[in-house]
Amino acid sequence: MKIKTYLILIGISLFISSCEENKKQAIDEKATLVADMQSENAKPKPVEKLVFKDNENIALSDELDLALLKKAVTNLNISYSDLRISETTSVSYNDKITFFVITYLVKTEEQGQEAEEYDLGDYFERKYLFVNKADGKIIAQEADFNLSYNENEGMKFSKTYILKDLIQLNQNTTGVAFYTEEASSSRVSLYSQQKFTILALVNNKIKKVLYEYPIRKTQGDSNGRSSFELETLETGLIVSNEETNGFLDLIVSKNFLYEVVDEADEEKGTEEQRTMKVKKESERIKYNGQAYIFKKDDRYRFLDYN
């Protein structure tokens, strides 16, 4: 009888022990599940990619492989001495390809009455190149006549500034971005505009993904000294998480700054007067299946030019 009672007690003890272990295992599994869920919730959501915060903070490429450039222009039958190196820029597109924007002299024969009356100066053409790093062979090329110019024109063009970082527009499309400024040479009529473009190499052809979007613009008038009225558009750009037709949307922040300055007049005994106004807007640019499209906006927010 004692042996039977002893065995029963052992059985009860083992059963209780087993229940405790199962309870502990269940608690551990629940704790692990909660930890996994918290870890999943703690993972940061995809963030929008900052391209540039404002016009004063655009990271630019400082690359210029002169040895590769010489090979490329030789393959284009362009004399290296005809290049404007100060207006030629590049960036590495991938391990095998470099992207160049070159500016070079095109020899032309001036003809007609207009050429006789006005000395337009030398003509410079601007061209986009995707170049094989190994041998300098041209993979794709395209001249941009909107950025080509005569030296003595009233409108002046800056060099083309290429952004240091490429822009990932979807899993398969990487864009190279750049901008060029055109500006009036007048001290009275104040005008300038920076136009932003994104190109991609698709099937060894140049694709204009976004073309000449205005990222900065100034318009106004001056007396040639210290008095002026000026409206300035400045922007920032991010790549959104949302996509349209397979390409991520682009979001542009816009700041319109209006300034009026009346210079001091000692004869009248007046001090300098300054007025400033600001307006903020934003725009989402979407891909339509062929390119990013946007409405041309020539409206002024403050100037009475409309």
Side-chain angles (χ1 to χ4, degrees):
M1 184 69 179
K2 289 183 178 180
I3 294 175
K4 185 176 181 180
T5 302
Y6 178 72
L7 292 174
I8 291 173
L9 291 174
I10 291 175
I12 292 172
S13 177
L14 291 173
F15 175 76
I16 293 172
S17 176
S18 176
C19 288
E20 290 295 330
E21 289 182 2
N22 290 337
K23 183 179 179 180
K24 183 177 183 299
Q25 181 178 358
I27 291 173
D28 290 343
E29 289 177 353
K30 184 178 181 180
T32 301
L33 178 61
V34 170
D36 289 342
M37 291 177 64
Q38 290 177 340
S39 177
E40 184 67 27
N41 292 334
K43 290 180 181 177
K45 295 180 180 179
V47 296
E48 295 167 326
K49 167 70 174 175
L50 177 67
V51 179
F52 57 89
K53 181 176 67 174
D54 54 50
N55 298 86
E56 300 299 323
N57 291 281
I58 302 179
L60 301 174
S61 171
D62 57 3
E63 300 177 25
L64 187 56
D65 187 336
L66 294 178
L68 181 61
L69 178 61
K70 289 179 180 179
K71 293 179 182 178
V73 296
T74 298
N75 290 327
L76 288 169
N77 293 320
I78 295 173
S79 173
Y80 187 78
S81 61
D82 288 336
L83 283 178
R84 274 203 162 173
I85 298 297
S86 62
E87 296 180 21
T88 296
T89 49
S90 70
V91 72
S92 178
Y93 190 66
N94 58 34
D95 291 341
K96 297 181 179 180
I97 299 172
T98 291
F99 172 75
F100 285 94
V101 180
I102 66 171
T103 306
Y104 62 99
L105 174 68
V106 177
K107 296 178 175 62
T108 59
E109 293 184 5
E110 295 184 347
Q111 297 178 350
Q113 184 176 356
E114 182 178 348
E116 294 178 1
E117 294 179 359
Y118 304 102
D119 179 15
L120 297 177
D122 291 330
Y123 179 72
F124 290 89
E125 187 168 282
R126 198 156 292 184
K127 181 172 284 191
Y128 310 132
L129 306 175
F130 284 92
V131 178
N132 189 311
K133 291 181 179 180
D135 52 17
K137 288 184 178 179
I138 309 301
I139 299 171
Q141 61 173 302
E142 183 174 328
D144 192 333
F145 297 108
N146 286 350
L147 299 180
S148 302
Y149 62 90
N150 285 97
E151 199 165 21
N152 296 336
E153 286 182 6
M155 295 300 296
K156 302 298 182 183
F157 291 88
S158 73
K159 68 183 287 185
T160 294
Y161 296 93
I162 304 176
L163 272 64
K164 180 179 179 180
D165 297 325
L166 304 180
I167 302 176
Q168 200 66 39
L169 301 170
N170 60 29
Q171 288 185 344
N172 301 316
T173 307
T174 303
V176 55
F178 52 86
Y179 70 88
T180 309
E181 180 172 275
E182 59 176 353
S184 168
S185 57
S186 171
R187 294 179 58 195
V188 177
S189 178
L190 307 176
Y191 170 82
S192 68
Q193 186 169 198
Q194 292 177 357
K195 296 180 178 180
F196 185 80
T197 295
I198 303 176
L199 302 183
L201 185 64
V202 180
N203 297 324
N204 288 342
K205 293 183 179 180
I206 293 176
K207 180 179 178 65
K208 290 180 180 177
V209 185
L210 174 69
Y211 186 61
E212 290 196 340
Y213 183 87
I215 60 170
R216 191 177 191 277
K217 185 177 180 180
T218 62
Q219 181 72 65
D221 296 290
S222 169
N223 66 354
R225 297 188 302 275
S226 302
S227 294
F228 64 87
E229 181 185 27
L230 185 68
E231 182 171 322
T232 303
L233 164 66
E234 294 191 337
T235 61
L237 178 65
I238 60 176
V239 179
S240 171
N241 298 323
E242 300 177 8
E243 63 177 47
T244 303
N245 294 316
F247 280 69
L248 295 170
D249 297 346
L250 306 177
I251 301 176
V252 182
S253 61
K254 299 181 177 183
N255 291 321
F256 294 89
L257 174 63
Y258 177 68
E259 294 180 273
V260 179
V261 175
D262 293 316
E263 64 186 354
D265 190 325
E266 293 182 0
E267 293 182 359
K268 295 180 179 180
T270 58
E271 297 180 351
E272 179 183 272
Q273 301 293 319
R274 182 180 295 268
T275 302
M276 294 184 65
K277 297 179 182 178
V278 177
K279 185 176 183 181
K280 297 180 180 293
E281 298 177 9
S282 64
E283 180 180 12
R284 181 180 289 267
I285 307 174
K286 298 182 178 182
Y287 189 78
N288 71 348
Q290 299 295 325
Y292 285 96
I293 56 171
F294 57 92
K295 292 182 180 179
K296 187 176 181 180
D297 185 2
D298 290 329
R299 294 177 300 119
Y300 295 99
R301 293 352 186 230
F302 301 102
L303 287 174
D304 190 19
Y305 286 5
N306 297 319

PDB file of all heavy atoms in Angstrom, residues 177-205:
ATOM      1  N   ALA A 177      21.198  63.598 -63.002  1.00  0.00           N
ATOM      2  CA  ALA A 177      20.509  64.888 -62.954  1.00  0.00           C
ATOM      3  C   ALA A 177      21.498  66.038 -63.075  1.00  0.00           C
ATOM      4  O   ALA A 177      22.634  65.948 -62.609  1.00  0.00           O
ATOM      5  CB  ALA A 177      19.716  65.005 -61.650  1.00  0.00           C
ATOM      6  N   PHE A 178      21.046  67.124 -63.675  1.00  0.00           N
ATOM      7  CA  PHE A 178      21.904  68.299 -63.832  1.00  0.00           C
ATOM      8  C   PHE A 178      21.040  69.532 -64.078  1.00  0.00           C
ATOM      9  O   PHE A 178      19.850  69.429 -64.392  1.00  0.00           O
ATOM     10  CB  PHE A 178      22.895  68.103 -64.981  1.00  0.00           C
ATOM     11  CG  PHE A 178      22.268  67.691 -66.286  1.00  0.00           C
ATOM     12  CD1 PHE A 178      21.769  68.632 -67.181  1.00  0.00           C
ATOM     13  CD2 PHE A 178      22.176  66.356 -66.627  1.00  0.00           C
ATOM     14  CE1 PHE A 178      21.193  68.254 -68.379  1.00  0.00           C
ATOM     15  CE2 PHE A 178      21.598  65.958 -67.830  1.00  0.00           C
ATOM     16  CZ  PHE A 178      21.116  66.911 -68.712  1.00  0.00           C
ATOM     17  N   TYR A 179      21.655  70.695 -63.927  1.00  0.00           N
ATOM     18  CA  TYR A 179      20.939  71.929 -64.246  1.00  0.00           C
ATOM     19  C   TYR A 179      21.890  72.914 -64.894  1.00  0.00           C
ATOM     20  O   TYR A 179      23.110  72.851 -64.735  1.00  0.00           O
ATOM     21  CB  TYR A 179      20.299  72.552 -62.990  1.00  0.00           C
ATOM     22  CG  TYR A 179      21.266  73.143 -62.004  1.00  0.00           C
ATOM     23  CD1 TYR A 179      21.696  74.466 -62.119  1.00  0.00           C
ATOM     24  CD2 TYR A 179      21.764  72.389 -60.943  1.00  0.00           C
ATOM     25  CE1 TYR A 179      22.587  75.016 -61.208  1.00  0.00           C
ATOM     26  CE2 TYR A 179      22.654  72.929 -60.027  1.00  0.00           C
ATOM     27  CZ  TYR A 179      23.058  74.244 -60.164  1.00  0.00           C
ATOM     28  OH  TYR A 179      23.951  74.786 -59.265  1.00  0.00           O
ATOM     29  N   THR A 180      21.295  73.844 -65.651  1.00  0.00           N
ATOM     30  CA  THR A 180      22.046  74.905 -66.316  1.00  0.00           C
ATOM     31  C   THR A 180      21.308  76.214 -66.085  1.00  0.00           C
ATOM     32  O   THR A 180      20.077  76.243 -66.088  1.00  0.00           O
ATOM     33  CB  THR A 180      22.154  74.638 -67.830  1.00  0.00           C
ATOM     34  OG1 THR A 180      22.631  73.312 -68.044  1.00  0.00           O
ATOM     35  CG2 THR A 180      23.093  75.628 -68.499  1.00  0.00           C
ATOM     36  N   GLU A 181      22.057  77.277 -65.879  1.00  0.00           N
ATOM     37  CA  GLU A 181      21.426  78.585 -65.662  1.00  0.00           C
ATOM     38  C   GLU A 181      21.574  79.454 -66.895  1.00  0.00           C
ATOM     39  O   GLU A 181      22.651  79.541 -67.488  1.00  0.00           O
ATOM     40  CB  GLU A 181      22.050  79.297 -64.456  1.00  0.00           C
ATOM     41  CG  GLU A 181      21.420  80.670 -64.185  1.00  0.00           C
ATOM     42  CD  GLU A 181      21.892  81.291 -62.882  1.00  0.00           C
ATOM     43  OE1 GLU A 181      21.302  80.968 -61.834  1.00  0.00           O
ATOM     44  OE2 GLU A 181      22.857  82.070 -62.925  1.00  0.00           O
ATOM     45  N   GLU A 182      20.476  80.081 -67.280  1.00  0.00           N
ATOM     46  CA  GLU A 182      20.529  81.127 -68.301  1.00  0.00           C
ATOM     47  C   GLU A 182      20.180  82.443 -67.625  1.00  0.00           C
ATOM     48  O   GLU A 182      19.326  82.494 -66.728  1.00  0.00           O
ATOM     49  CB  GLU A 182      19.550  80.843 -69.444  1.00  0.00           C
ATOM     50  CG  GLU A 182      18.099  80.729 -69.022  1.00  0.00           C
ATOM     51  CD  GLU A 182      17.162  80.556 -70.205  1.00  0.00           C
ATOM     52  OE1 GLU A 182      17.643  80.659 -71.347  1.00  0.00           O
ATOM     53  OE2 GLU A 182      15.965  80.333 -69.988  1.00  0.00           O
ATOM     54  N   ALA A 183      20.863  83.508 -68.023  1.00  0.00           N
ATOM     55  CA  ALA A 183      20.667  84.783 -67.346  1.00  0.00           C
ATOM     56  C   ALA A 183      20.857  85.936 -68.324  1.00  0.00           C
ATOM     57  O   ALA A 183      21.649  85.856 -69.274  1.00  0.00           O
ATOM     58  CB  ALA A 183      21.650  84.926 -66.179  1.00  0.00           C
ATOM     59  N   SER A 184      20.111  87.000 -68.080  1.00  0.00           N
ATOM     60  CA  SER A 184      20.254  88.214 -68.872  1.00  0.00           C
ATOM     61  C   SER A 184      21.517  88.954 -68.436  1.00  0.00           C
ATOM     62  O   SER A 184      21.871  88.976 -67.256  1.00  0.00           O
ATOM     63  CB  SER A 184      19.028  89.112 -68.675  1.00  0.00           C
ATOM     64  OG  SER A 184      19.260  90.394 -69.209  1.00  0.00           O
ATOM     65  N   SER A 185      22.175  89.568 -69.394  1.00  0.00           N
ATOM     66  CA  SER A 185      23.383  90.335 -69.080  1.00  0.00           C
ATOM     67  C   SER A 185      23.060  91.774 -68.704  1.00  0.00           C
ATOM     68  O   SER A 185      23.952  92.553 -68.376  1.00  0.00           O
ATOM     69  CB  SER A 185      24.341  90.322 -70.273  1.00  0.00           C
ATOM     70  OG  SER A 185      23.685  90.829 -71.434  1.00  0.00           O
ATOM     71  N   SER A 186      21.763  92.133 -68.715  1.00  0.00           N
ATOM     72  CA  SER A 186      21.355  93.506 -68.414  1.00  0.00           C
ATOM     73  C   SER A 186      21.407  93.794 -66.915  1.00  0.00           C
ATOM     74  O   SER A 186      21.091  92.928 -66.092  1.00  0.00           O
ATOM     75  CB  SER A 186      19.918  93.737 -68.921  1.00  0.00           C
ATOM     76  OG  SER A 186      19.418  94.983 -68.465  1.00  0.00           O
ATOM     77  N   ARG A 187      21.793  94.993 -66.550  1.00  0.00           N
ATOM     78  CA  ARG A 187      21.795  95.424 -65.147  1.00  0.00           C
ATOM     79  C   ARG A 187      20.440  96.016 -64.764  1.00  0.00           C
ATOM     80  O   ARG A 187      20.177  96.254 -63.587  1.00  0.00           O
ATOM     81  CB  ARG A 187      22.883  96.464 -64.911  1.00  0.00           C
ATOM     82  CG  ARG A 187      24.303  95.952 -65.081  1.00  0.00           C
ATOM     83  CD  ARG A 187      25.295  97.074 -64.840  1.00  0.00           C
ATOM     84  NE  ARG A 187      25.135  97.664 -63.508  1.00  0.00           N
ATOM     85  CZ  ARG A 187      25.667  98.823 -63.154  1.00  0.00           C
ATOM     86  NH1 ARG A 187      26.370  99.535 -64.033  1.00  0.00           N
ATOM     87  NH2 ARG A 187      25.490  99.291 -61.925  1.00  0.00           N
ATOM     88  N   VAL A 188      19.583  96.271 -65.739  1.00  0.00           N
ATOM     89  CA  VAL A 188      18.280  96.907 -65.488  1.00  0.00           C
ATOM     90  C   VAL A 188      17.169  95.868 -65.473  1.00  0.00           C
ATOM     91  O   VAL A 188      16.337  95.836 -64.562  1.00  0.00           O
ATOM     92  CB  VAL A 188      17.999  97.995 -66.544  1.00  0.00           C
ATOM     93  CG1 VAL A 188      16.610  98.599 -66.333  1.00  0.00           C
ATOM     94  CG2 VAL A 188      19.078  99.071 -66.486  1.00  0.00           C
ATOM     95  N   SER A 189      17.138  95.022 -66.497  1.00  0.00           N
ATOM     96  CA  SER A 189      16.151  93.944 -66.553  1.00  0.00           C
ATOM     97  C   SER A 189      16.762  92.702 -65.908  1.00  0.00           C
ATOM     98  O   SER A 189      17.678  92.082 -66.468  1.00  0.00           O
ATOM     99  CB  SER A 189      15.771  93.651 -68.006  1.00  0.00           C
ATOM    100  OG  SER A 189      14.843  92.584 -68.067  1.00  0.00           O
ATOM    101  N   LEU A 190      16.267  92.345 -64.717  1.00  0.00           N
ATOM    102  CA  LEU A 190      16.857  91.256 -63.937  1.00  0.00           C
ATOM    103  C   LEU A 190      16.131  89.949 -64.254  1.00  0.00           C
ATOM    104  O   LEU A 190      14.945  89.798 -63.967  1.00  0.00           O
ATOM    105  CB  LEU A 190      16.756  91.565 -62.442  1.00  0.00           C
ATOM    106  CG  LEU A 190      17.314  92.914 -62.003  1.00  0.00           C
ATOM    107  CD1 LEU A 190      17.069  93.131 -60.518  1.00  0.00           C
ATOM    108  CD2 LEU A 190      18.800  93.019 -62.340  1.00  0.00           C
ATOM    109  N   TYR A 191      16.854  89.012 -64.837  1.00  0.00           N
ATOM    110  CA  TYR A 191      16.242  87.720 -65.174  1.00  0.00           C
ATOM    111  C   TYR A 191      17.297  86.626 -65.130  1.00  0.00           C
ATOM    112  O   TYR A 191      18.419  86.787 -65.631  1.00  0.00           O
ATOM    113  CB  TYR A 191      15.620  87.744 -66.573  1.00  0.00           C
ATOM    114  CG  TYR A 191      15.200  86.366 -67.046  1.00  0.00           C
ATOM    115  CD1 TYR A 191      13.982  85.816 -66.650  1.00  0.00           C
ATOM    116  CD2 TYR A 191      16.038  85.607 -67.861  1.00  0.00           C
ATOM    117  CE1 TYR A 191      13.610  84.537 -67.059  1.00  0.00           C
ATOM    118  CE2 TYR A 191      15.671  84.335 -68.277  1.00  0.00           C
ATOM    119  CZ  TYR A 191      14.459  83.807 -67.868  1.00  0.00           C
ATOM    120  OH  TYR A 191      14.096  82.539 -68.273  1.00  0.00           O
ATOM    121  N   SER A 192      16.934  85.514 -64.522  1.00  0.00           N
ATOM    122  CA  SER A 192      17.755  84.307 -64.590  1.00  0.00           C
ATOM    123  C   SER A 192      16.854  83.107 -64.323  1.00  0.00           C
ATOM    124  O   SER A 192      15.798  83.230 -63.686  1.00  0.00           O
ATOM    125  CB  SER A 192      18.905  84.342 -63.579  1.00  0.00           C
ATOM    126  OG  SER A 192      18.409  84.255 -62.252  1.00  0.00           O
ATOM    127  N   GLN A 193      17.281  81.946 -64.788  1.00  0.00           N
ATOM    128  CA  GLN A 193      16.507  80.734 -64.579  1.00  0.00           C
ATOM    129  C   GLN A 193      17.421  79.508 -64.608  1.00  0.00           C
ATOM    130  O   GLN A 193      18.286  79.405 -65.491  1.00  0.00           O
ATOM    131  CB  GLN A 193      15.423  80.580 -65.647  1.00  0.00           C
ATOM    132  CG  GLN A 193      14.487  79.421 -65.401  1.00  0.00           C
ATOM    133  CD  GLN A 193      13.263  79.427 -66.301  1.00  0.00           C
ATOM    134  OE1 GLN A 193      12.279  78.773 -66.009  1.00  0.00           O
ATOM    135  NE2 GLN A 193      13.304  80.157 -67.399  1.00  0.00           N
ATOM    136  N   GLN A 194      17.265  78.622 -63.629  1.00  0.00           N
ATOM    137  CA  GLN A 194      17.984  77.357 -63.612  1.00  0.00           C
ATOM    138  C   GLN A 194      17.018  76.253 -64.031  1.00  0.00           C
ATOM    139  O   GLN A 194      15.957  76.089 -63.420  1.00  0.00           O
ATOM    140  CB  GLN A 194      18.534  77.063 -62.213  1.00  0.00           C
ATOM    141  CG  GLN A 194      19.632  78.010 -61.780  1.00  0.00           C
ATOM    142  CD  GLN A 194      20.118  77.746 -60.365  1.00  0.00           C
ATOM    143  OE1 GLN A 194      19.598  76.889 -59.664  1.00  0.00           O
ATOM    144  NE2 GLN A 194      21.129  78.487 -59.932  1.00  0.00           N
ATOM    145  N   LYS A 195      17.401  75.510 -65.066  1.00  0.00           N
ATOM    146  CA  LYS A 195      16.544  74.451 -65.599  1.00  0.00           C
ATOM    147  C   LYS A 195      17.151  73.090 -65.283  1.00  0.00           C
ATOM    148  O   LYS A 195      18.330  72.855 -65.547  1.00  0.00           O
ATOM    149  CB  LYS A 195      16.350  74.631 -67.100  1.00  0.00           C
ATOM    150  CG  LYS A 195      15.610  75.923 -67.454  1.00  0.00           C
ATOM    151  CD  LYS A 195      15.437  76.083 -68.949  1.00  0.00           C
ATOM    152  CE  LYS A 195      14.664  77.347 -69.276  1.00  0.00           C
ATOM    153  NZ  LYS A 195      14.490  77.527 -70.741  1.00  0.00           N
ATOM    154  N   PHE A 196      16.322  72.209 -64.750  1.00  0.00           N
ATOM    155  CA  PHE A 196      16.751  70.928 -64.189  1.00  0.00           C
ATOM    156  C   PHE A 196      16.290  69.789 -65.097  1.00  0.00           C
ATOM    157  O   PHE A 196      15.131  69.734 -65.511  1.00  0.00           O
ATOM    158  CB  PHE A 196      16.134  70.780 -62.796  1.00  0.00           C
ATOM    159  CG  PHE A 196      16.560  69.573 -62.027  1.00  0.00           C
ATOM    160  CD1 PHE A 196      17.775  69.541 -61.362  1.00  0.00           C
ATOM    161  CD2 PHE A 196      15.734  68.464 -61.936  1.00  0.00           C
ATOM    162  CE1 PHE A 196      18.159  68.436 -60.621  1.00  0.00           C
ATOM    163  CE2 PHE A 196      16.103  67.355 -61.202  1.00  0.00           C
ATOM    164  CZ  PHE A 196      17.315  67.336 -60.542  1.00  0.00           C
ATOM    165  N   THR A 197      17.211  68.878 -65.392  1.00  0.00           N
ATOM    166  CA  THR A 197      16.927  67.769 -66.306  1.00  0.00           C
ATOM    167  C   THR A 197      17.428  66.454 -65.704  1.00  0.00           C
ATOM    168  O   THR A 197      18.454  66.436 -65.032  1.00  0.00           O
ATOM    169  CB  THR A 197      17.603  68.008 -67.677  1.00  0.00           C
ATOM    170  OG1 THR A 197      17.009  69.155 -68.308  1.00  0.00           O
ATOM    171  CG2 THR A 197      17.464  66.809 -68.600  1.00  0.00           C
ATOM    172  N   ILE A 198      16.694  65.379 -65.944  1.00  0.00           N
ATOM    173  CA  ILE A 198      17.126  64.027 -65.562  1.00  0.00           C
ATOM    174  C   ILE A 198      17.153  63.162 -66.818  1.00  0.00           C
ATOM    175  O   ILE A 198      16.151  63.055 -67.527  1.00  0.00           O
ATOM    176  CB  ILE A 198      16.187  63.387 -64.521  1.00  0.00           C
ATOM    177  CG1 ILE A 198      16.073  64.261 -63.277  1.00  0.00           C
ATOM    178  CG2 ILE A 198      16.687  61.993 -64.141  1.00  0.00           C
ATOM    179  CD1 ILE A 198      15.076  63.742 -62.251  1.00  0.00           C
ATOM    180  N   LEU A 199      18.309  62.563 -67.091  1.00  0.00           N
ATOM    181  CA  LEU A 199      18.459  61.634 -68.213  1.00  0.00           C
ATOM    182  C   LEU A 199      18.740  60.233 -67.688  1.00  0.00           C
ATOM    183  O   LEU A 199      19.280  60.063 -66.596  1.00  0.00           O
ATOM    184  CB  LEU A 199      19.619  62.050 -69.126  1.00  0.00           C
ATOM    185  CG  LEU A 199      19.600  63.439 -69.767  1.00  0.00           C
ATOM    186  CD1 LEU A 199      20.809  63.593 -70.673  1.00  0.00           C
ATOM    187  CD2 LEU A 199      18.322  63.658 -70.546  1.00  0.00           C
ATOM    188  N   ALA A 200      18.389  59.231 -68.490  1.00  0.00           N
ATOM    189  CA  ALA A 200      18.721  57.848 -68.171  1.00  0.00           C
ATOM    190  C   ALA A 200      19.195  57.161 -69.448  1.00  0.00           C
ATOM    191  O   ALA A 200      18.818  57.554 -70.557  1.00  0.00           O
ATOM    192  CB  ALA A 200      17.524  57.110 -67.581  1.00  0.00           C
ATOM    193  N   LEU A 201      20.035  56.154 -69.279  1.00  0.00           N
ATOM    194  CA  LEU A 201      20.483  55.347 -70.412  1.00  0.00           C
ATOM    195  C   LEU A 201      19.627  54.092 -70.442  1.00  0.00           C
ATOM    196  O   LEU A 201      19.713  53.244 -69.552  1.00  0.00           O
ATOM    197  CB  LEU A 201      21.966  54.987 -70.263  1.00  0.00           C
ATOM    198  CG  LEU A 201      22.593  54.238 -71.443  1.00  0.00           C
ATOM    199  CD1 LEU A 201      22.600  55.113 -72.698  1.00  0.00           C
ATOM    200  CD2 LEU A 201      24.020  53.801 -71.107  1.00  0.00           C
ATOM    201  N   VAL A 202      18.780  53.971 -71.461  1.00  0.00           N
ATOM    202  CA  VAL A 202      17.851  52.843 -71.582  1.00  0.00           C
ATOM    203  C   VAL A 202      18.095  52.160 -72.926  1.00  0.00           C
ATOM    204  O   VAL A 202      17.927  52.774 -73.980  1.00  0.00           O
ATOM    205  CB  VAL A 202      16.387  53.318 -71.476  1.00  0.00           C
ATOM    206  CG1 VAL A 202      15.443  52.136 -71.610  1.00  0.00           C
ATOM    207  CG2 VAL A 202      16.159  54.042 -70.150  1.00  0.00           C
ATOM    208  N   ASN A 203      18.517  50.901 -72.874  1.00  0.00           N
ATOM    209  CA  ASN A 203      18.814  50.139 -74.098  1.00  0.00           C
ATOM    210  C   ASN A 203      19.811  50.897 -74.986  1.00  0.00           C
ATOM    211  O   ASN A 203      19.640  50.981 -76.214  1.00  0.00           O
ATOM    212  CB  ASN A 203      17.534  49.833 -74.876  1.00  0.00           C
ATOM    213  CG  ASN A 203      16.584  48.949 -74.090  1.00  0.00           C
ATOM    214  OD1 ASN A 203      17.011  48.056 -73.353  1.00  0.00           O
ATOM    215  ND2 ASN A 203      15.286  49.198 -74.223  1.00  0.00           N
ATOM    216  N   ASN A 204      20.821  51.471 -74.322  1.00  0.00           N
ATOM    217  CA  ASN A 204      21.895  52.210 -75.004  1.00  0.00           C
ATOM    218  C   ASN A 204      21.380  53.439 -75.758  1.00  0.00           C
ATOM    219  O   ASN A 204      21.996  53.889 -76.732  1.00  0.00           O
ATOM    220  CB  ASN A 204      22.665  51.294 -75.958  1.00  0.00           C
ATOM    221  CG  ASN A 204      23.545  50.310 -75.207  1.00  0.00           C
ATOM    222  OD1 ASN A 204      23.844  50.504 -74.028  1.00  0.00           O
ATOM    223  ND2 ASN A 204      23.954  49.257 -75.872  1.00  0.00           N
ATOM    224  N   LYS A 205      20.260  53.987 -75.303  1.00  0.00           N
ATOM    225  CA  LYS A 205      19.732  55.223 -75.866  1.00  0.00           C
ATOM    226  C   LYS A 205      19.451  56.209 -74.724  1.00  0.00           C
ATOM    227  O   LYS A 205      19.133  55.803 -73.612  1.00  0.00           O
ATOM    228  CB  LYS A 205      18.448  54.968 -76.661  1.00  0.00           C
ATOM    229  CG  LYS A 205      18.673  54.140 -77.922  1.00  0.00           C
ATOM    230  CD  LYS A 205      17.371  53.974 -78.703  1.00  0.00           C
ATOM    231  CE  LYS A 205      17.607  53.168 -79.972  1.00  0.00           C
ATOM    232  NZ  LYS A 205      16.347  52.981 -80.753  1.00  0.00           N
TER     233      LYS A 205
END
